[in-house]
Amino acid sequence: MKLPSIALKANAKSAVIDILNARLADAIDLALITKQAHWNLRGPGFIAVHEMLDPMRVDLDNHVDIIAERIAQLDGIALGTKESVAKTSTLAAYPTDIRKIDDHLAALAERYAALANQVREDIDATEEAGDADAADILTAFSRDLDKNFWFIKSHLE
């Protein structure tokens, strides 16, 4: 018995799955990076930044799950292993030798902005592929990335 599936052409599904897997790797990487900063902050303003980063991690984890589930809905395989993330993430490696809050915030701002800008490009690409749902998922992700980037950047100004 042939089961019904989401009515997207195979090449559109493949393109969207590739885009979503790339952003999945970046989102997992950014979640890990955010926690790395959270654990290693030092200096004045510690508690404010420390407590700001936890909800950002929660936001990222929620988007990771939604992105991975969309990949599965399209009959793809969500690639979320440490090996896949290390191989695929487009984010710059996070420095592990920093402690000052401003150094962490600058490093986080760079990575949040890079991912937010890439996600905006991917919104257009998934729309062009015909997957309005994937574009909507990425739009929601973009909103949270922009909001959290703004929070981070506001601590640096």
Side-chain angles (χ1 to χ4, degrees), residues 23 26-38 49-64 89-95 103-121 138 140-154 156:
R23 296 304 68 80
D26 288 342
I28 292 169
D29 193 15
L30 190 58
L32 293 170
I33 286 167
T34 300
K35 208 56 161 173
Q36 176 71 22
H38 168 86
V49 175
H50 182 78
E51 290 181 351
M52 175 184 75
L53 295 178
D54 269 337
M56 290 180 182
R57 169 65 189 256
V58 170
D59 285 347
L60 289 163
D61 288 342
N62 288 333
H63 289 290
V64 161
S89 178
T90 62
L91 300 180
Y94 196 79
D103 293 341
H104 279 289
L105 290 172
L108 287 169
E110 178 185 321
R111 286 151 185 85
Y112 271 81
L115 184 52
N117 291 330
Q118 181 59 58
V119 167
R120 269 188 289 287
E121 289 180 27
L138 293 173
F141 188 29
S142 174
R143 274 194 305 271
D144 277 345
L145 287 167
D146 284 353
K147 176 189 71 172
N148 290 330
F149 170 62
W150 170 55
F151 287 169
I152 292 165
K153 187 177 164 188
S154 293
L156 292 169

